[in-house]
């Protein structure tokens, strides 16, 4: 069966895309939770904490509603036999004195009873929907926020190796798939099971021999449902995986659109997206094929049971006996019985649907859990860094990025006094930025120790450490919002005067004032309407307003012209005078006045001293300087 099915599944989308899916290694996110047996249950147990009572209430109400809803045919059967076949009219739990003995009052009694039961059924149904909905929404909210919080707290090593589009896919698509499941499946699952259970109970009460015959097909039904369920899960894993890869591709292409255009790469990029979209379409097609066959197969089996019951029951009613079956069966028993047999089809279809949703949600839960399990961040340090003096020590530090063998830092030893300004220079890839990432504890050294005020940074709470260090990157990120909001990002209580003072010190006030909306100008999703130099100055203002005891400028003025840089440096002199400051720069004039210049080469410190010292030494720094001032050819 699987062979022919496999061929059918590949017939729609292209062969290439199909092969691509087969060949692809399961992504790191999904693989991280591969050994989790019940990912969805684990996730809901944590996400649903405190609200499980709503599932209990919903479940009880739903079961009650189904048993009551399904009771009507049972009562109608008894009433018909009483009215037309002169049988005794007796109902469980109803005192016999309440039931009339003449046909017309019996009809009135039956109608009133059925109407009353419908009212109870409706009330319980509303209560069930309400309870399940409440559980779903609260749980989903918690799972979404928890997942986002987990992603945010992951080590930088995770983001280095995981494409942001894929992470977004977990936060968006996988959480949405969980939403689709939670909004429908718990109630529908209970409804299906209790519809089946109530039908079985009433069938058994009507005629348990015939009930057993109708149920002969049940084991086959369960086995087929299980088989399809397993296939659903495997196929859904592929779909989620392909969605993640596609999202990552779309995300990088849109954010790198300028480069794509510059190289005229639109056609090439469209081809790449087309290939990945085809792989996604193949995965979805194959997953849908399972769904397309699942329900009809179950319906066919349930239909077979119905036809068999119809044959046996009608033969039995006509002849007054059937083969070895004892006793007789009346029309008043057979008609509701057939109804119950037929009413098993709908919940079986529901069950197939719920199984599909469950398997989809299970794949998503696996990825959400995977994000939590992949490289969990090391425990946060316990020591809070309070108003540090700013002494920084690198004690024979060596480091390779996670997952790589290349030593990016080798035996780096550096002591920086409080208040000192250190310029870091060296060729590209020498390890300057990496040195500062270790100071902020984005990564831990493989050997040696980085200390701030004598504390190993691993022992410090990351939040208190990073609050103490103002960091400006070469391509700073601006948040969607106004310039004012961006500058005041870390200081809720900042006044307009504070914001302006910070902007002046960063050399940003002038160009901000020239903008029509001034400080209220929106900077768009990634600050696109500002130049690189303007964005850098806003980022410097943001750090100055936060007023941290230590500063790190990593090529922070590389996009501004020489004149503006000199102006910024002058206004920063006062700010940096008392604080430990690191300045990474390729333009050596930026660090010329630093208290000390540290020259790095291939992960090592090769020289250090003041500008004049280093020039006098006539080593690496002097070479770099000569190249920059044009004294020698590069
Ligand atoms: N996240 C990362 N994962 C793996 N390797 C990395 C990562 N970041 C940097 N590297 C590698 O580490 C080395 C040092 O990089 P680093 O950014 O520290 O150099 P740099 O001196 O700051 O260079 P530049 O002046 O170009 O900014 C380089 O070889 C680089 O390829």
């Amino acid at each position: 069966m699987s062979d022919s099915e496999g061929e059918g599944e590949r017939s729609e989308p292209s062969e290439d895309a199909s092969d691509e899916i087969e060949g692809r290694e399961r992504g790191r996110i999904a693989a991280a939770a591969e050994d989790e047996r019940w990912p969805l249950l684990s996730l809901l147990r944590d996400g649903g904490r405190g609200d499980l009572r709503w599932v209990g209430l919903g479940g009880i109400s739903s079961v009650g509603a189904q048993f009551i809803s399904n009771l009507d045919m049972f009562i109608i059967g008894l009433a018909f036999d009483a009215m037309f076949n002169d049988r005794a009219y007796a109902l469980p739990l109803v005192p016999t004195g309440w039931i009339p003995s003449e046909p017309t009052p019996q009809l009135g009694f039956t109608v009133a009873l059925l109407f009353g039961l419908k009212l109870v059924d409706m009330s319980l149904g509303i209560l069930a929907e309400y309870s399940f909905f409440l559980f779903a929404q609260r749980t989903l909210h918690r799972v979404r926020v928890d997942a986002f919080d987990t992603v945010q707290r992951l080590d930088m090593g995770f983001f280095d190796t995981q494409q942001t589009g894929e992470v977004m896919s977990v936060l968006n698509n996988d959480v949405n798939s969980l939403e689709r499941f939670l909004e429908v499946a718990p109630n529908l699952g209970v409804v299906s099971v209790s519809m089946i259970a109530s039908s079985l109970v009433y069938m058994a009460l009507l005629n348990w021999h015939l009930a057993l015959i109708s149920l002969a097909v049940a084991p086959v039904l369960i086995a087929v449902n299980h088989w399809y369920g397993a296939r659903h899960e495997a196929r859904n894993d592929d779909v989620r995986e392909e969605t993640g890869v596609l999202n990552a591709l779309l995300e990088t292409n849109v954010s790198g659109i300028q480069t794509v255009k510059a190289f005229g790469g639109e056609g090439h990029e469209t081809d790449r997206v087309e290939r990945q979209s085809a792989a996604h379409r193949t995965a979805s097609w194959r997953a849908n094929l399972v769904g397309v066959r699942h329900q009809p197969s179950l319906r066919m089996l349930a239909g077979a049971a119905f036809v068999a019951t119809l044959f046996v029951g009608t033969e039995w009613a006509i002849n007054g006996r059937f083969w070895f079956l004892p006793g007789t069966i009346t029309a008043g028993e057979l008609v509701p019985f057939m109804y119950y047999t037929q009413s098993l089809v709908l919940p079986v279809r529901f069950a197939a649907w719920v199984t599909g949703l469950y398997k989809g949600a299970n794949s998503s839960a696996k990825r959400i859990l995977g994000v939590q399990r992949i490289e969990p961040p090391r425990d946060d340090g316990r020591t809070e860094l309070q108003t540090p003096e700013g002494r920084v020590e690198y004690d024979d530090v060596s480091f390779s990025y996670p997952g790589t063998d290349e030593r990016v830092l080798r035996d780096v030893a550096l002591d920086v006094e409080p208040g000192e300004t250190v310029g870091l220079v060296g060729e590209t890839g020498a390890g300057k930025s990496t040195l500062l990432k270790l100071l902020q504890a984005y990564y831990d050294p493989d050997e040696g120790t980085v200390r701030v005020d004598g504390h190993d940074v691993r022992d410090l709470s990351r939040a208190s450490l990073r609050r103490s260090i103002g960091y400006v990157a070469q391509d700073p990120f601006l948040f969607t919002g106004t310039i004012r909001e961006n500058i005041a990002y870390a200081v809720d209580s900042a006044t307009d005067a504070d914001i302006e003072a910070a902007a002046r010190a960063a050399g940003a006030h002038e160009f901000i004032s020239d903008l029509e909306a001034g400080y209220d100008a929106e900077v768009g999703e990634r600050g696109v309407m500002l130049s690189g130099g303007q964005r850098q100055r806003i980022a410097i203002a943001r750090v100055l307003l936060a007023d941290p005891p230590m500063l790190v400028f990593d090529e922070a003025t590389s996009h501004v012209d020489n004149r503006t840089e000199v102006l910024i440096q002058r206004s920063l002199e006062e700010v940096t005078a008392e604080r430990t400051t690191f300045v990474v720069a390729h333009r050596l004039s930026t660090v010329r006045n630093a208290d000390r210049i540290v020259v790095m080469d291939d992960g090592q410190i090769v020289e250090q001293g003041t500008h004049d010292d280093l020039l006098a030494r006539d080593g690496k720094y002097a070479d770099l300087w000569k190249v920059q001032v044009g004294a020698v050819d590069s």
Side-chain angles (χ1 to χ4, degrees):
M1 180 167 189
S2 66
D3 279 349
S4 61
E5 187 175 76
E7 271 171 31
E9 286 166 11
R10 284 193 194 97
S11 61
E12 208 294 282
S14 76
E15 292 278 344
D16 286 0
S18 217
D19 293 345
E20 209 158 310
I21 296 175
E22 299 291 356
R24 182 167 287 141
E25 202 187 315
R26 170 89 49 241
R28 290 178 63 213
I29 293 181
E34 200 62 63
D35 59 340
E36 176 66 60
R37 269 198 72 166
W38 307 101
L40 185 60
L41 290 186
S42 300
L43 199 68
L44 294 185
R45 192 189 50 219
D46 295 344
R49 57 187 178 265
D51 283 315
L52 290 174
R53 62 181 186 281
W54 292 109
V55 179
L57 183 62
I60 292 169
S61 318
S62 196
V63 170
Q66 288 316 314
F67 269 82
I68 289 172
S69 166
N70 243 351
L71 190 56
D72 47 10
M73 274 314 278
F74 185 80
I75 293 173
I76 290 168
L78 291 182
F80 276 19
D81 268 350
M83 289 186 284
F84 303 120
N85 295 340
D86 262 353
R87 278 201 163 192
Y89 193 0
L91 287 166
L93 303 177
V94 180
T96 34
W98 293 10
I99 305 176
S101 47
E102 293 303 312
T104 308
Q106 278 177 342
L107 177 62
F109 170 81
T110 306
V111 169
L113 181 63
L114 290 180
F115 186 70
L117 288 176
K118 288 292 161 210
L119 282 180
V120 179
D121 170 16
M122 181 189 74
S123 313
L124 288 175
I126 291 174
L127 186 60
E129 291 275 355
Y130 176 86
S131 308
F132 278 118
F133 194 65
L134 203 69
F135 170 76
Q137 289 308 320
R138 289 191 178 177
T139 303
L140 209 64
H141 168 72
R142 238 174 265 129
V143 167
R144 183 176 275 124
V145 175
D146 280 358
F148 176 68
D149 190 55
T150 310
V151 166
Q152 275 208 112
R153 286 173 199 286
L154 286 171
D155 280 342
M156 283 308 292
F158 172 80
F159 295 98
D160 286 342
T161 49
Q162 211 67 37
Q163 291 172 319
T164 46
E166 205 164 345
V167 178
M168 287 302 294
S169 174
V170 173
L171 294 176
N172 259 330
N173 302 336
D174 290 316
V175 172
N176 288 346
S177 137
L178 213 60
E179 177 166 16
R180 277 196 298 281
F181 170 81
L182 275 179
E183 283 188 343
V184 178
N187 193 18
L188 202 59
V190 176
V191 165
S192 316
V193 171
S194 43
M195 272 171 98
I196 294 173
S198 56
S199 293
L200 294 183
V201 168
Y202 299 136
M203 281 162 79
L205 285 174
L206 286 164
N207 188 317
W208 68 269
H209 291 103
L210 197 53
L212 285 182
I213 291 175
S214 308
L215 285 182
V217 76
V220 187
L221 213 76
I222 291 168
V224 170
N225 193 36
H226 182 76
W227 185 81
Y228 273 113
R231 292 182 71 90
H232 258 298
E233 179 149 13
R235 299 288 158 90
N236 274 308
D237 281 352
D238 288 342
V239 175
R240 305 271 165 265
E241 198 71 21
E242 297 304 330
T243 310
V245 177
L246 184 60
N247 276 3
L249 195 60
L250 294 175
E251 212 257 352
T252 29
N253 277 0
V254 173
S255 45
I257 188 72
Q258 200 177 349
T259 314
V260 171
K261 283 184 184 298
F263 285 94
E266 290 95 333
H268 170 70
E269 292 306 326
T270 304
D271 284 350
R272 286 214 306 170
V273 167
E274 192 177 355
R275 269 202 307 280
Q276 182 52 34
S277 178
H280 180 266
R281 184 186 55 165
T282 306
S284 299
W285 169 254
R286 297 170 71 189
N288 281 334
L289 275 184
V290 178
V292 163
R293 294 164 192 178
H294 191 171
Q295 282 206 13
S297 309
L298 296 186
R299 226 169 39 229
M300 207 276 288
L301 285 169
F306 176 75
V307 173
T309 311
L310 176 75
F311 174 73
V312 174
T314 313
E315 273 280 319
W316 196 355
I318 293 172
N319 299 331
R321 64 189 174 82
F322 185 87
W323 204 12
F324 61 90
L325 295 171
T328 53
I329 188 164
T330 64
E333 284 166 352
L334 183 60
V335 172
F337 199 95
M338 293 313 302
Y339 168 83
Y340 286 129
T341 315
Q342 185 63 1
S343 73
L344 289 176
V345 176
L346 190 64
V348 165
R349 287 172 66 182
F350 284 167
W353 187 26
V354 168
T355 310
L357 284 173
Y358 170 76
K359 296 298 180 182
N362 221 26
S363 303
S364 291
K366 215 182 288 172
R367 286 161 56 84
I368 296 173
L369 283 181
V371 165
Q372 292 171 354
R373 307 244 165 113
I374 214 165
E375 291 177 41
R378 69 163 166 77
D379 288 344
D380 205 7
R382 292 172 177 223
T383 311
E384 290 289 319
L385 189 62
Q386 312 273 12
T387 56
E389 273 189 281
R391 180 184 309 283
V392 175
E393 295 157 78
Y394 288 87
D395 191 357
D396 289 332
V397 169
S398 296
F399 174 71
S400 307
Y401 278 96
T404 67
D405 299 330
E406 192 199 338
R407 275 273 143 117
V408 175
L409 296 178
R410 289 182 289 149
D411 301 321
V412 172
L414 179 68
D415 287 350
V416 180
E417 294 298 317
E420 197 178 353
T421 296
V422 175
L424 282 172
V425 301
E427 278 155 16
T428 188
K432 307 176 292 288
S433 303
T434 306
L435 196 69
L436 299 173
K437 285 183 196 163
L438 298 193
L439 173 63
Q440 294 164 92
Y442 287 121
Y443 302 91
D444 292 333
D446 299 328
E447 284 162 32
T449 313
V450 183
R451 293 196 195 85
V452 171
D453 278 16
H455 302 287
D456 184 335
V457 292
R458 281 173 287 216
D459 298 334
L460 295 171
S461 94
R462 278 180 284 236
S464 74
L465 173 70
R466 291 174 192 163
R467 253 198 320 271
S468 306
I469 302 172
Y471 173 73
V472 187
Q474 179 171 13
D475 283 308
F477 182 80
L478 297 188
F479 296 92
T480 303
T482 63
I483 291 182
R484 185 190 310 283
E485 286 161 357
N486 265 287
I487 297 180
Y489 182 69
V491 187
D492 292 339
S493 59
T495 63
D496 287 352
D498 297 336
I499 291 171
E500 191 181 313
R504 277 184 193 282
H509 177 71
E510 211 171 298
F511 86 79
I512 296 173
S513 309
D514 285 346
L515 296 172
E516 203 179 314
Y519 283 85
D520 293 320
E522 291 278 339
V523 293
E525 197 183 51
R526 303 191 67 187
V528 279
M529 68 175 206
L530 298 173
S531 73
Q534 289 169 333
R535 292 218 312 262
Q536 286 189 325
R537 280 176 278 168
I538 291 178
I540 294 174
R542 176 160 68 194
V543 158
L544 296 183
L545 184 67
D547 195 22
M550 291 182 277
L551 291 167
V552 170
F553 295 117
D554 193 348
E555 292 282 1
T557 50
S558 56
H559 294 320
V560 298
D561 58 75
N562 288 345
R563 190 183 144 270
T564 313
E565 185 177 37
V566 171
L567 293 177
I568 297 173
Q569 271 179 350
R570 268 195 213 134
S571 54
L572 284 184
E573 258 165 32
E574 205 183 309
V575 182
T576 57
E578 299 291 313
R579 299 161 212 252
T580 309
T581 306
F582 290 90
V583 182
V584 176
H586 282 290
R587 201 193 276 156
L588 299 184
S589 58
T590 313
V591 293
R592 182 181 177 158
N593 296 325
D595 299 319
R596 185 168 22 149
I597 296 169
V598 171
V599 186
M600 293 194 69
D601 188 25
D602 199 15
Q604 284 179 306
I605 294 178
V606 289
E607 282 175 7
Q608 47 183 311
T610 62
H611 173 75
D612 294 334
D613 290 345
L614 292 174
L615 280 190
R617 188 182 294 191
D618 201 20
K620 180 118 190 137
Y621 181 81
D623 287 347
L624 292 171
W625 179 258
K626 283 178 207 154
V627 170
Q628 287 205 0
V629 297
V632 291
D633 290 338
S634 56

